[in-house]
Structures are given as C-alpha cells and as structure tokens.
Amino acid sequence: MEDGILIRRGTEADLESIIAIGLSVWVDTYSPQGLSLEVSQYLGRKFSVHAITALLSSDDCAFFMAEKEGRVVGYTLLKRHVICPLSEDLDVEVATLYVLRGAQGLGIGGKLFRTGLEFAVSAWGSDRCWLRMSAKNSAAKKFYASHGFELIGSIWMEFDGAQSENFLLASKSHAAF
Ligand SMILES: CC(C)(COP(=O)(O)OP(=O)(O)OC[C@H]1O[C@@H](n2cnc3c(N)ncnc32)[C@H](O)[C@@H]1OP(=O)(O)O)[C@@H](O)C(=O)NCCC(=O)NCCS
C-alpha cells in the first residue's frame, strides 16, 4: 500500500459509501447536465438501501472497495450466474466499476478491476468475465481495452425515452494480466 491505496472486500458497513459513490459517479458520467424525472426515479431504485443491501448480502455478488489515504474513493461489483446476452459461456459480470472523479487517473480503477478479476478466478473459478458499457463512454472503452477486454457485440436498450447502444465486452484470457 505504498501509494496510499487500499483495495479490500466490501461489507455491510460500506452500504452508505456505495450509495454515495454510485450516485455521484453515475450522474457525473452519464447525466452531468441534469436529470429527468425518469432518470431520477431509476437512480432512486438502483441505489436504494434495499437494492444495495440485497447485493451486499448475496453469495452471488462481491464488492471491492478502494480507499485512498483512508477515504473510500471507488468500488467494483462482480456478479456470478449472470449469463451474458451474447454468450452463454460467460456468466460472471463486472456489473460496476466506479471511481470518484477526483480520484480518477491514479491507477485506482485498474487496481479495483484486477482485484475483481482475480477474485472471479480464485473464488468462483471463472477465468473470463463480461461487462456492458455505454457505447458513448470512450474513456471506459480505452480503459477496458488496455486491460485485455475485447468487444463481443452490442445491444440496444430503451433508456430515458431513447434507444441507447451498449457495448458488451469480455476478457480474452487472464494471461493478459
Ligand atoms: C473507468 C474508470 C473506472 C477508470 O478508473 P481510473 O481510476 O480512472 O483508472 P486508472 O487510473 O487505473 O486508469 C485510467 C488511465 O489513467 C492512467 N493511469 C494509471 N495509473 C496512473 C497513475 N498512477 N498516475 C496517473 N495516471 C495513471 C492510465 O494511463 C490509464 O489509462 P489507460 O486506460 O490507457 O490504461 C473511471 O474513470 C470511472 O469511474 N469512470 C466513470 C464510470 C465509468 O465509466 N465506469 C465504467 C463504465 S462500465
């Protein structure tokens, strides 16, 4: 931890941090100009105490938290038994990877991501993971490519009254790490 960054497993005690970081990074990344009522309601459900508590208590979910100098700055959430819409062979999803804006670009997202992938191998026996991301998120696309993930296709989803494209990515193999 020579750089002041600690990655650790998330627990019930992280409930409020997960909600605060989740809302902050989501709005910052996807809707910095403002929120429609539909999006606000979506966020209220996605980051509710009830929803995050259920994820924290599930054996099929694993959170990892990043701390910088003792303060929580990001987290990742992995889920197993979630089949990729484009490949039945892939059933471990990196569902969330969020780092607060003020802590981005310091290597924290990379550490969180690698920790999650290593956990998927050691605890769940899965050496390939998949994820979905907005096609408009060019920074994330570059980040995932540099971590050995490749595009396997895209799906369109209805969101906030419009169709939006989501890329599906999967790890080539853990040899890349
Ligand atoms: C995508 C995201 C998780 C990446 O996290 P991060 O902490 O910024 O990522 P890192 O710092 O590890 O890497 C980002 C870049 O910073 C650079 N970097 C890495 N370590 C660094 C360091 N110690 N100092 C400076 N720069 C560094 C790298 O060049 C890296 O570029 P690369 O993508 O070409 O490898 C983060 O930007 C984020 O939360 N974005 C908003 C939410 C989002 O888009 N999530 C993913 C959607 S599915």
Side-chain angles (χ1 to χ4, degrees), residues 110-146:
K111 282 190 174 156
L112 272 172
F113 194 53
R114 283 192 296 275
T115 301
L117 299 179
E118 284 161 15
F119 173 87
V121 176
S122 63
W124 292 343
S126 176
D127 66 354
R128 288 190 75 208
C129 297
W130 70 278
L131 61 88
R132 100 179 63 204
M133 53 164 287
S134 165
K136 293 181 184 155
N137 194 344
S138 49
K141 196 170 161 219
K142 185 168 158 279
F143 172 88
Y144 290 129
S146 77

Side-chain angles (χ1 to χ4, degrees), residues 62-138:
F63 282 91
F64 289 90
M65 312 299 296
E67 289 184 12
K68 185 173 187 306
E69 284 144 20
R71 290 169 185 258
V72 180
V73 292
Y75 73 89
T76 188
L77 163 64
L78 283 91
K79 295 181 180 175
R80 67 173 167 177
H81 306 320
V82 183
I83 307 268
C84 173
L86 296 180
S87 171
E88 285 183 4
D89 299 341
L90 299 167
D91 74 344
V92 174
E93 179 188 14
V94 182
T96 312
L97 179 66
Y98 285 170
V99 175
L100 287 175
R101 179 178 285 269
Q104 291 175 7
L106 302 174
I108 296 169
K111 282 190 174 156
L112 272 172
F113 194 53
R114 283 192 296 275
T115 301
L117 299 179
E118 284 161 15
F119 173 87
V121 176
S122 63
W124 292 343
S126 176
D127 66 354
R128 288 190 75 208
C129 297
W130 70 278
L131 61 88
R132 100 179 63 204
M133 53 164 287
S134 165
K136 293 181 184 155
N137 194 344
S138 49

Side-chain angles (χ1 to χ4, degrees), residues 14-104:
D14 295 303
L15 172 67
E16 289 83 3
S17 305
I18 290 167
I19 292 170
I21 290 174
L23 286 169
S24 170
V25 176
W26 198 100
V27 173
D28 222 21
T29 306
Y30 302 112
S31 211
Q33 312 296 338
L35 304 167
S36 66
L37 178 61
E38 186 186 339
V39 170
S40 298
Q41 289 171 340
Y42 163 79
L43 293 177
R45 291 190 300 274
K46 182 177 171 74
F47 295 107
S48 68
V49 168
H50 178 75
I52 302 299
T53 299
L55 295 170
L56 278 164
S57 62
S58 168
D59 288 342
D60 293 330
C61 294
F63 282 91
F64 289 90
M65 312 299 296
E67 289 184 12
K68 185 173 187 306
E69 284 144 20
R71 290 169 185 258
V72 180
V73 292
Y75 73 89
T76 188
L77 163 64
L78 283 91
K79 295 181 180 175
R80 67 173 167 177
H81 306 320
V82 183
I83 307 268
C84 173
L86 296 180
S87 171
E88 285 183 4
D89 299 341
L90 299 167
D91 74 344
V92 174
E93 179 188 14
V94 182
T96 312
L97 179 66
Y98 285 170
V99 175
L100 287 175
R101 179 178 285 269
Q104 291 175 7

